[in-house]
Amino acid sequence: MSVKEIMDIIREKLGGIAEDIRYVESAGIIVRVKPVNLREASHIVHDVLDAYFRTMMAVDERPINNTFAAYYVYGLDDKGINIIIEAHADPYTPVLPSIADIVPAADWYELEAWDLLGIKFKNRKLHRFVLPDDWPEGLYPLRRDVDYTVRPSPRITYKPPLQGPRLPVGPYHPALHEPEYFELFVEGERVVDVEYNGFHVHRGIEKLAESPRFTYQKIPFLAERICGICGFVHSVAYTLSVENAAKIEVPERAQYIRSIVLEVERLHSHLLWLGVACHLLGYDAGFMHSWRIREKVMVLAELLTGSRKTYGINLVGGVRKDINMDKITAIRNTLAWLRSEFAKLADLVTSVPQIVRRARGTGILPRDEARKLSVVGPVARASGLDRDVRRDYPYCAYKDVSFRVPVYTEGDNLARVMVRVEEIFESMDIIDQLLDKLPGGPIMAEKMEVPAGLVGIGNVEAPRGEDIHIIITGRGRPYRWRVRAPTYQNIPALKVMLRDAPLADAPLTIASIDPCFSCTDRIVVIDLKTGKREKLQTVSIPGECGCEI
Amino acid sequence: MSLKKLLKPFKLISIAHKSGVVTVLYPYQKPLITTEFRGKISIDATKCMGCGACVNACPPNALTLSRRDDTIVLNYFIGRCIFCGRCAEVCPVGAITVTHEFELASASTRDLNESLVHRVEKCSGCGGGLGATSRMLQYVILRSPASENYVHLCPNCRKKKLIQSLAMKMGARTEDYEG
C-alpha cells in the first residue's frame, strides 16, 4: 500500500478533527490535532487503524511557536509507516488530555513529560517519575530556559517516620549497581502486585546533547554510552535520525558495515543474556560455556571496530573503520566456529530439565496484553506479535538480506529463550549474506549539512527490541533529541507477567525481558498478611549497564 | 528415546573437555588484544603545532587547549579519554597516533595528565603576542605562499600595513603618512 492510499484512509478517518495532515519522508504522516481532539485521534489510530504505540516526544517549542508540543508516534508495522499525532499546549499552563486509558503504553511517557517539561495531563494521577524526590518543585529540566549546568540544591522533604519495626529497603546508592527497584507485594508465595521504581541512573543525556558542549558529530559517542550492552544500536539510531532528517546520502558500504557490526553486537548480547538466564536458574555450567563462546564474538568486535564495547566507529554520514579481506576472513572463521559450538550448546540448554521445567509456563504475557502495551523485541515475538524493525521499517542494509523472524505464541519464559536462541542463528546468517554482498566504495558521505527545524526518526532493532530516536534539528546540534530504549516499553509488561505467579519465578521473569538497567536487581518482598518487609538479593546480571536515559 | 534424553545433560562433559581451559593468566601471559585495539593516544611533540583541531573534535573534552599571552598549552587528561581516536583522524599534521597501551591505572591523577607547551610567536611589527605558534605560521605559508608577507603581523599591524599601502597607492608620500 502506498503512502498516498494510507493518507487517503487517514483523511477519511481523521479528516473531521485534524487541523493539518502532511507527509514528511524522514518521519511519517504527521497529523496535527487540537488538544480537545487528542483522545479521539489516539483512539482512531490505536484501535481502529491498529497501529502500535512507538514513542512520544514532548518538546518545549516556546522559542519557535510559543507552545509546548507533544508528538505521539504510532507505527503501522505491516506497512512500515509512522503516523505521528501532534498536539500543542498552552505555553503558560501546558495541559493535555491523558490518553493512558486508551493507549496503556503511553502511561510512562506522560509521567516523564510531566516530570521533565511540566506538561500536565488531565484526568490521571501524576507523580514524580524520573526526577529524584528531593528535586525542587516547578523546575522542569528539559525546558529550554533551564540551563544544562543547573544543579539545584535538594529540596528538604519531610517523611513521617515509619510505624513499627523498621527494616532497610533497597539501596538507592548511585555508586552501587542498583539503579532499578521492584516492590513485589506477596501473599505467602504468590505475587499479587508489582511496583516499579526506576530511573536511578537518569543522566540527562538528552539535555546534555542540546547543550553547546556538543555537536552533531560528537553525539554518536555520547549516544553509544546510553547502554553498555547495545551501545552501537543507540549510536546508529541517532545517526539514522539525523541522516533521515537532513537527507544525507550514506554510502552503501557504510550501511553494510553498520549492519554487520549491529549483528555482531546482537550475537554478543544474546549470548550474554543466555548465560545470565542459565546462571539464574542455577545452571552455571551453561552460563560459563555461553560466555566462553561470547568471548570470541567480543574479540571479533574488537578486530572490526577497535574496541570490545563502545565501538566508536559511527559518525553522521558513515563509519570510520573499513573492513578489509583479512577481517572478512576472520569474521567467516569466527562464524564457522561459533555455529558449531553454539549449536551444541543451544541443543543442550534447551533440553536440560533445570531450564525447561523452570521456564515453561512461567511469566506468561498473553498476546492481547502484549498488544495493549505495544511491547517490543523478543518479548513481543514470544507473545505472538510478529514485529521486527529490521523487516518492518528497513534501515541500513537489512533490505538486501533475507531472514526469518522467530515468533512463538506461548508468551512464557521458555518462548523468550527460544526466540533469542533462534535469533542467534539468524544473525549469523545475516552476517554471512552481508559479507557476500558487501559493495565497494567510500565509507563516509561527502556532503554533510544539517539544516535547522527538521524532524527525523531513526529506528533500530536492538537485541532487546525496537530502539527509536526522534530528532528535531537545530543549529549545530539537535534542538531536541528523544531516545526511547526498548526496556522502557517492556518494563510495564512485567506487571502482567509477575502477577499471580509464584515468587520463585520472579527473578527469571524479570530477567526474561533482558532488562537493560543494571548489574544487581534487588527485590523487596512485602508480605501483605504480616506487613513484614525483607530485602531479597536475587538477580545478578554481570556486565549489564544502565540503559534508562 | 528417554534414555537418550536422560543422558543429554552429560554431553556438557564432552563439550567442556574439548574446549579446555580458555582463561588466560593475565598479566603473566600477554593480554589478548587485537591489532586494531585503540588505547591511549600519544602526541608527537616534534610535529604538533598547537592548532586545536583535536580539541574541537574530542567528544569528552579530554583534550583541552589553554591560551595564555606567550604560551599555548595542549593538555591531555587520560581520565576523561574514551579512546575513540577522533583526534588522530582530524589532526592536520598527523602528530597524534593511537597506541595499544591500556594499562593506565595510577594512584595519582598527575600521571593521567600530559601537557604540551607551545611558545607563541611575537608580532614582527609591534612585538605583541601573535596567538599562533611558529609551526602554525609555517603550515599556513606552505599552503598559501602569498600569506608570507603578512602572516608574521598581528591583526592591528596588518590593518596598519594595509592602510599604509593603500595610501601609497593613492599617491601619499611616506613622510606625509608618518607626519
Side-chain angles (χ1 to χ4, degrees):
Chain A
M1 201 187 278
S2 72
V3 175
K4 206 173 159 292
E5 283 167 291
I6 300 168
M7 283 283 272
D8 287 339
I9 295 173
I10 289 174
R11 271 208 196 91
E12 183 200 319
K13 303 264 190 213
L14 288 164
I17 50 173
E19 286 183 313
D20 176 40
I21 300 176
R22 64 185 196 277
Y23 176 63
V24 180
E25 207 189 320
S26 59
I29 299 167
I30 303 180
V31 183
R32 199 175 73 227
V33 297
K34 282 211 172 81
V36 283
N37 294 326
L38 181 63
R39 284 176 64 82
E40 197 187 335
S42 309
H43 167 69
I44 292 170
V45 174
H46 185 256
D47 298 332
V48 180
L49 296 176
D50 199 28
Y52 287 98
F53 182 74
R54 300 186 83 193
T55 180
M56 187 268 253
M57 172 171 71
V59 199
D60 177 6
E61 288 193 351
R62 286 176 300 171
I64 301 174
N65 52 25
N66 203 25
T67 55
F68 281 96
Y71 298 86
Y72 297 81
V73 182
Y74 296 86
L76 289 168
D77 270 13
D78 45 349
K79 289 158 194 104
I81 202 156
N82 293 315
I83 303 173
I84 302 166
I85 299 182
E86 177 188 350
H88 292 270
D90 182 75
Y92 305 107
T93 47
V95 181
L96 285 173
S98 165
I99 59 162
D101 53 333
I102 305 170
V103 188
D107 182 25
W108 277 25
Y109 297 84
E110 290 182 354
L111 289 174
E112 194 182 328
W114 158 244
D115 235 13
L116 300 179
L117 280 144
I119 300 176
K120 255 200 179 123
F121 290 88
K122 258 189 297 189
N123 298 330
R124 67 157 296 162
K125 199 176 145 236
L126 291 166
H127 54 82
R128 271 285 149 87
F129 184 62
V130 177
L131 294 174
D133 284 336
D134 57 4
W135 186 270
E137 292 278 353
L139 179 66
Y140 304 108
L142 263 185
R143 289 193 174 183
R144 298 294 294 188
D145 48 9
V146 179
D147 194 69
Y148 81 104
T149 51
V150 166
R151 302 283 181 277
S153 50
R155 176 179 68 143
I156 296 161
T157 43
Y158 172 75
K159 273 189 184 159
L162 291 168
Q163 295 298 308
R166 262 177 269 172
L167 283 161
V169 171
Y172 289 101
H173 199 286
L176 296 177
H177 312 301
E178 180 30 40
E180 130 281 14
Y181 177 81
F182 285 94
E183 275 190 358
L184 303 185
F185 296 85
V186 294
E187 271 178 20
E189 282 293 301
R190 200 169 57 88
V191 179
V192 290
D193 205 0
V194 189
E195 202 124 303
Y196 175 70
N197 186 339
F199 298 95
H200 305 286
V201 277
H202 192 280
R203 289 154 285 171
I205 279 180
E206 289 172 0
K207 183 77 184 174
L208 190 61
E210 293 167 13
S211 75
R213 255 186 81 335
F214 275 87
T215 61
Y216 281 118
Q217 291 296 37
K218 280 187 187 181
I219 297 176
F221 300 95
L222 177 71
E224 204 153 32
R225 275 150 186 82
I226 290 171
C227 176
I229 300 294
C230 48
F232 194 67
V233 165
H234 285 281
S235 87
V236 172
Y238 162 77
T239 49
L240 281 176
S241 66
V242 178
E243 286 154 7
N244 284 344
K247 298 201 172 52
I248 295 169
E249 294 216 359
V250 183
E252 281 273 286
R253 193 176 173 84
Q255 310 255 29
Y256 270 71
I257 294 174
R258 273 184 193 168
S259 305
I260 292 171
V261 178
L262 279 172
E263 288 310 313
V264 168
E265 190 170 64
R266 188 184 321 278
L267 284 178
H268 106 76
S269 174
H270 277 357
L271 283 167
L272 174 140
W273 180 83
L274 193 67
V276 171
C278 288
H279 171 67
L280 278 174
L281 295 172
Y283 187 54
D284 268 356
F287 160 61
M288 284 171 193
H289 282 279
S290 172
W291 280 48
R292 168 177 65 84
I293 296 171
R294 173 177 174 263
E295 182 56 29
K296 291 266 179 187
V297 182
M298 301 303 280
V299 174
L300 179 69
E302 190 194 298
L303 183 74
L304 290 180
T305 65
S307 192
R308 284 165 66 92
K309 274 311 307 162
T310 48
Y311 306 138
I313 61 160
N314 222 1
L315 284 180
V316 174
V319 291
R320 295 169 55 204
K321 228 180 172 80
D322 208 346
I323 290 181
N324 57 18
M325 273 324 282
D326 288 349
K327 288 182 189 170
I328 291 178
T329 327
I331 302 174
R332 293 232 196 254
N333 290 343
T334 310
L335 282 186
W337 179 86
L338 196 65
R339 221 172 243 129
S340 73
E341 286 287 309
F342 184 68
K344 275 188 258 172
L345 183 76
D347 181 39
L348 198 66
V349 164
T350 52
S351 60
V352 209
Q354 276 115 304
I355 305 245
V356 179
R357 289 216 185 143
R358 284 286 306 277
R360 182 174 285 150
T362 55
I364 294 177
L365 178 69
R367 190 182 188 281
D368 56 327
E369 294 277 0
R371 171 67 192 84
K372 251 193 246 164
L373 292 166
S374 294
V375 295
V376 294
V379 182
R381 291 193 279 277
S383 290
L385 297 181
D386 188 7
R387 49 186 324 215
D388 189 319
V389 179
R390 288 175 292 176
R391 184 197 55 202
D392 301 334
Y393 308 86
Y395 55 93
C396 291
Y398 287 108
K399 55 190 179 306
D400 300 342
V401 292
S402 60
F403 56 95
R404 211 171 50 81
V405 178
V407 178
Y408 282 76
T409 48
E410 289 91 337
D412 57 359
N413 288 334
L414 188 66
R416 289 189 276 276
V417 174
M418 294 308 293
V419 165
R420 291 195 177 96
V421 167
E422 283 185 34
E423 273 182 15
I424 291 177
F425 288 111
E426 291 301 318
S427 274
M428 292 191 266
D429 281 349
I430 292 174
I431 298 176
D432 260 340
Q433 291 180 45
L434 289 168
L435 286 179
D436 288 340
K437 289 185 182 170
L438 189 69
I443 53 168
M444 199 69 198
E446 276 174 15
K447 220 178 98 218
M448 249 181 294
E449 252 174 61
V450 187
L454 299 170
V455 189
I457 290 183
N459 49 29
V460 172
E461 181 75 21
R464 285 153 193 80
E466 162 200 87
D467 174 32
I468 179 164
H469 290 209
I470 321 180
I471 212 160
I472 297 182
T473 58
R475 284 208 181 80
R477 61 193 59 81
Y479 180 84
R480 173 86 166 93
W481 171 43
R482 171 75 164 103
V483 180
R484 202 271 282 142
T487 310
Y488 195 95
Q489 199 89 332
N490 283 343
I491 287 182
L494 274 179
K495 225 173 186 162
V496 183
M497 296 183 202
L498 291 171
R499 209 175 272 160
D500 280 328
L503 181 60
D505 292 333
L508 177 69
T509 305
I510 291 175
S512 79
I513 69 162
D514 199 358
C516 198
F517 19 63
S518 201
C519 310
T520 312
D521 295 9
R522 221 167 279 228
I523 298 172
V524 169
V525 182
I526 303 174
D527 197 320
L528 282 185
K529 281 195 183 130
T530 59
K532 205 174 86 186
R533 283 175 158 234
E534 55 183 290
K535 196 170 63 184
L536 175 77
Q537 189 173 341
T538 44
V539 195
S540 166
I541 308 177
E544 294 251 352
C545 263
C547 188
E548 304 303 331
I549 316 287
Chain B
M1 177 242 148
S2 65
L3 185 71
K4 207 176 160 193
K5 210 176 160 187
L6 267 176
L7 288 175
K8 209 164 187 186
F10 294 100
K11 267 192 182 169
L12 191 74
I13 298 170
S14 89
I15 296 178
H17 181 72
K18 252 187 216 160
S19 49
V21 178
V22 289
T23 44
V24 207
L25 278 175
Y26 176 81
Y28 304 109
Q29 267 170 295
K30 279 228 152 182
L32 299 165
I33 54 167
T34 62
T35 49
E36 301 294 321
F37 181 78
R38 290 190 308 255
K40 73 171 271 237
I41 58 162
S42 97
I43 306 169
D44 188 348
T46 59
K47 281 187 189 165
C48 176
M49 56 181 189
C51 68
C54 49
V55 175
N56 284 340
C58 181
N61 290 4
L63 287 160
T64 44
L65 204 65
S66 42
R67 289 168 191 278
R68 294 199 193 90
D69 280 347
D70 48 355
T71 52
I72 292 178
V73 182
L74 177 67
N75 188 62
Y76 172 47
F77 178 44
I78 303 170
R80 290 196 77 127
C81 185
I82 58 169
F83 311 107
C84 64
R86 273 288 279 164
C87 44
E89 237 172 46
V90 297
C91 182
V93 290
I96 301 180
T97 43
V98 179
T99 68
H100 284 180
E101 221 174 298
F102 66 94
E103 287 145 320
L104 305 164
S106 166
S108 145
T109 46
R110 225 180 302 161
D111 299 341
L112 300 177
N113 273 300
E114 280 175 21
S115 291
L116 192 58
V117 185
H118 289 279
R119 202 159 44 80
V120 166
E121 281 291 289
K122 295 252 171 355
C123 169
S124 60
C126 62
L130 199 55
T133 62
S134 66
R135 281 192 200 135
M136 272 155 89
L137 301 182
Q138 278 161 21
Y139 184 83
V140 170
I141 293 168
L142 208 69
R143 267 149 196 81
S144 141
S147 62
E148 201 172 355
N149 299 324
Y150 55 83
V151 82
H152 291 280
L153 295 171
C154 71
N156 267 339
C157 293
R158 261 182 232 179
K159 252 184 243 166
K160 262 187 210 160
K161 196 180 172 187
L162 179 77
I163 292 168
Q164 241 175 41
S165 57
L166 272 178
M168 301 275 261
K169 257 189 197 160
M170 307 284 270
R173 285 172 301 167
T174 336
E175 305 92 74
D176 290 354
Y177 186 76
E178 276 168 359

